[in-house]
Amino acid sequence: MHDIVIKNGFVIRPEETRVADIGITGERIAEIGPASSLSGKKTLDAEGMYVLPGVIDPHTHPVYLDSIQDLSKTAVWGGVTTVIHYAYAKPGQSQLEVIKKWKKEGQETSFIDFALHGGLFEAIKQIEELPDCFKEGVSSYKMFMSYAKLGWMTDDYALTKAMDVIGRLGGMAALHAENGMMIDYIQDKMIAEKADMTKEFLTTSPAIAEAEAIFRAVYTGRLMHCPVYIPHISSKEAMEVVSYLKSRSFPVVAETCPQYLAQTWDELVKLGPLGKVGPAIKHQEDQDYLWQSVQNGLIDTIGSDHAPKPKKLDDDFFTAPYGTPEVETLLPNLWNEGVNRGRITPNEVARITSENTAKIMGLYPRKGRLAEGSDADIVIFDPSKEWTISRENQHSNADYTIFEGRKVLGKVSSVLSRGGLVIDNERFAGEAGRAVFLPTDTGRYFRQGFVFS
Ligand SMILES: [Zn+2]
C-alpha cells in the first residue's frame, strides 16, 4: 500500500510513453507498475492525462517583484518543481554570504526544492571565495560579458582567471554572452542620433554580438578547461556558433527560453518596454532556427529567465529594466508551441525541461526522471484543457505578461513536490518549510565525452 498512487496516466520518459500507475511512498517514487495495478491511501486519477517529471527551471531571479517564496509559488502553478536561482553577488558583496543567506531563506520559505548558481559581478575579487562557495554546494557561476555601463561586465582578463579557478574546482561557468562593448557603442550612437529606442531595440542587441561572445566564452573555457553554460540563446547566428562548437565536442551547454520560442520582436514591439529582455527577442527566422535546434538536440535545456520587474507600457523604453515574468508559462508555452504544433513530442519535453537539466547540474537521478527511487516530483498535465494566458490568472507579482491573451491548449492539473501535493486539481496546496537545498555537481556531466583542448 503506497501513500499516493497516480493511476492510469500516460507516464512520460524521454525514451517511452506508457500507460501506468506510479506508487509514491514518503517522498519518493517507490514503484511504477502496469495500469490499475497499484493501490494507495490516496489515489489521483490521471486517465487521459500526461504524467511528466517536474520541470527543473535552471534560470530564475527571485530578487525583483517576486521573492524566493513568491517565485516558488508562481513556479509550481506552471509545473516547475525545482528552481535554480542566480544568487548574484553585486560589486562589494561577498558571494559566500549571499549563498548562505539564500540557502537559509529558501529552506525557510520556498514551496519547492532549489539549487543555486553564483553570480560574480566583481569576479576578480570574488574569485577568492570560490573554494568556500563550492563547499556550500554551488558549482556554477555566472558572469556578464555585457552591461559594461551598469558596471556588471567581466573583462577577458577576469573571465580567464575565473574560468581557470572554476575549471580547477570542477565547476561550470555560465555566461551572459553578448559583447558588451559593441552594444554600448551602438547604444551611444543611437542616443547621439536621437533614435527611437523602441524601434531600434534589435539594433542594440545584435545577433552578431551574441555569436561573438559565445565563441569567445567557449574558447576561453577550452583554454582554461572550464565547461561553459550559455543561458537564454536568442538567435540563429548564435546557434550556428554553438553548432560548430558542439561539432568539435567542446564543453558547452545551450539554453533557450520559451519567450524566444513563442514570441518575436515584430509581435512584441507594441508592448514597448514590457517586452524588453536581454538578449532581445528576435525575428521569426531566429525562432524557427531555435526550434530546429531544440529538435536536433543542439539546445540542451529550457530556462525561464523569470525576472519580473516593475514597468509600464508607457515608460521610457531606454531606461526601462530588462526582464519579464516567465516561470509559470514555461511549460504551457513549450507544450503549446512544441507538442501541439507537432514540433516535439511529450518525451522530448521531459528530456529538455527535466532530465537534461538534472544531468547537467549533477542532480540526476534524484531529480529529472520518473523512476523508482527518484524524488516524487511529478506533474499531471491535462492536454485537452484550453485556457487563455492573462495577468489575471498568473501568480507572479508582476501586473503584466508578454503572453497576454494567448490561447493555449494544455494545463497543469496537479503537481507533487517530493511526494507532497503542491497543486491539487488546480488548487494551491503548498507548504513552506519543506524545501530542500540541492547541492550541484556540474563537473560530473563534463567528465564524459567532452574535449577541452
Ligand atoms: Zn537571467
Side-chain angles (χ1 to χ4, degrees):
M1 175 80 79
H2 297 291
D3 293 325
I4 300 178
V5 169
I6 302 173
K7 266 196 140 30
N8 297 337
F10 295 105
V11 173
I12 303 294
R13 289 164 154 176
E15 71 286 0
E16 64 169 9
T17 303
R18 58 174 159 144
V19 179
D21 286 0
I22 297 182
I24 297 157
T25 300
E27 300 186 346
R28 303 230 165 146
I29 296 173
E31 191 177 359
I32 300 181
S36 301
S37 69
L38 305 183
S39 57
K41 293 172 202 155
K42 185 179 172 75
T43 301
L44 304 175
D45 178 13
E47 194 164 334
M49 310 265 209
Y50 285 98
V51 182
L52 298 160
V55 173
I56 301 172
D57 186 343
H59 190 161
T60 49
H61 300 285
V63 287
Y64 307 112
L65 292 170
D66 292 336
S67 65
I68 287 178
Q69 179 166 66
D70 300 334
L71 195 153
S72 73
K73 189 171 185 178
T74 181
V76 291
W77 278 103
V80 176
T81 55
T82 301
V83 274
I84 310 176
H85 301 309
Y86 278 103
Y88 285 167
K90 295 279 173 74
Q93 282 187 319
S94 153
Q95 176 72 84
L96 186 61
E97 292 312 311
V98 173
I99 288 169
K100 286 181 175 168
K101 183 169 171 280
W102 286 40
K103 276 171 74 170
K104 184 168 179 288
E105 187 179 337
Q107 283 159 339
E108 287 169 0
T109 69
S110 179
F111 294 109
I112 46 172
D113 294 350
F114 68 103
L116 299 175
H117 308 280
L120 309 172
F121 282 58
E122 202 177 5
I124 207 76
K125 285 191 188 156
Q126 290 159 336
I127 291 164
E128 307 291 318
E129 300 181 282
L130 289 183
D132 289 329
C133 296
F134 271 72
K135 286 184 198 136
E136 290 292 321
V138 179
S139 65
S140 48
Y141 292 85
K142 187 179 185 183
M143 287 164 281
F144 287 90
M145 299 169 86
S146 59
Y147 303 139
K149 278 190 216 164
L150 297 176
W152 297 10
M153 191 178 85
T154 300
D155 66 28
D156 288 352
Y157 181 94
L159 184 67
T160 307
K161 184 170 178 182
M163 285 193 176
D164 190 14
V165 174
I166 294 166
R168 276 191 278 115
L169 289 166
M172 173 171 82
L175 276 308
H176 180 120
E178 288 187 293
N179 183 316
M181 290 305 186
M182 281 182 189
I183 289 176
D184 281 1
Y185 168 71
I186 292 163
Q187 281 184 354
D188 288 345
K189 189 175 159 191
M190 293 288 149
I191 292 166
E193 289 170 356
K194 297 194 168 53
D196 178 336
M197 285 314 235
T198 312
K199 283 201 185 121
E200 297 300 335
F201 184 43
L202 291 201
T203 315
T204 66
S205 180
I208 288 172
E210 187 179 38
E212 186 280 328
I214 290 174
F215 190 86
R216 183 157 39 102
V218 176
Y219 264 64
T220 310
R222 246 185 101 191
L223 186 66
M224 291 296 121
H225 291 206
C226 179
V228 173
Y229 186 101
I230 309 289
H232 55 44
I233 295 175
S234 71
S235 66
K236 177 180 180 201
E237 189 103 28
M239 278 315 302
E240 287 172 343
V241 170
V242 170
S243 175
Y244 166 76
L245 296 167
K246 288 199 168 198
S247 74
R248 307 284 294 269
S249 297
F250 297 155
V252 56
V253 172
E255 173 202 280
T256 192
C257 315
Q259 49 274 38
Y260 302 107
L261 294 169
Q263 279 286 17
T264 61
W265 182 247
D266 310 288
E267 291 168 64
L268 261 190
V269 67
K270 60 181 182 292
L271 294 185
L274 300 185
K276 183 177 174 186
V277 299
I281 295 169
K282 299 189 167 64
H283 299 294
Q284 190 62 49
E285 188 194 8
D286 297 284
Q287 189 192 102
D288 292 343
Y289 200 84
L290 288 169
W291 271 113
Q292 276 176 39
S293 306
V294 169
Q295 290 167 324
N296 63 24
L298 284 177
I299 301 256
D300 301 283
T301 62
I302 303 289
S304 72
D305 199 5
H306 183 83
K309 301 202 187 161
K311 48 189 178 178
K312 299 215 162 8
L313 195 58
D314 50 8
D315 285 350
D316 172 54
F317 188 90
F318 186 64
T319 53
Y322 294 93
T324 48
E326 300 288 345
V327 67
E328 193 170 339
T329 46
L330 184 160
L331 179 61
N333 272 324
L334 190 70
W335 191 277
N336 196 55
E337 296 296 317
V339 177
N340 293 343
R341 298 181 67 161
R343 288 161 160 154
I344 51 172
T345 62
N347 313 80
E348 285 161 329
V349 171
R351 188 196 312 278
I352 200 168
T353 65
S354 196
E355 186 159 316
N356 279 1
T357 317
K359 285 179 175 167
I360 290 158
M361 297 307 298
L363 304 175
Y364 186 84
R366 177 178 181 180
K367 302 293 188 189
R369 188 170 176 81
L370 298 177
E372 289 166 11
S374 294
D375 281 355
D377 290 355
I378 302 173
V379 177
I380 302 177
F381 190 82
D382 183 347
S384 65
K385 195 152 192 171
E386 193 176 56
W387 60 290
T388 303
I389 299 172
S390 164
R391 67 188 177 94
E392 309 294 337
N393 58 30
Q394 294 293 291
H395 300 83
S396 165
N397 293 322
D399 63 1
Y400 60 92
T401 155
I402 60 168
F403 300 101
E404 184 69 39
R406 179 170 301 206
K407 272 204 178 70
V408 290
L409 181 63
K411 195 166 201 277
V412 170
S413 176
S414 293
V415 180
L416 292 99
S417 162
R418 284 198 348 274
L421 273 162
V422 283
I423 301 288
D424 183 0
N425 214 352
E426 295 193 34
R427 278 188 309 273
F428 186 73
E431 253 177 70
R434 271 189 87 243
V436 165
F437 169 74
L438 305 162
T440 63
D441 176 7
T442 48
R444 201 199 302 167
Y445 177 74
F446 292 98
R447 288 193 277 274
Q448 321 132 6
F450 290 92
V451 175
F452 281 96
S453 49

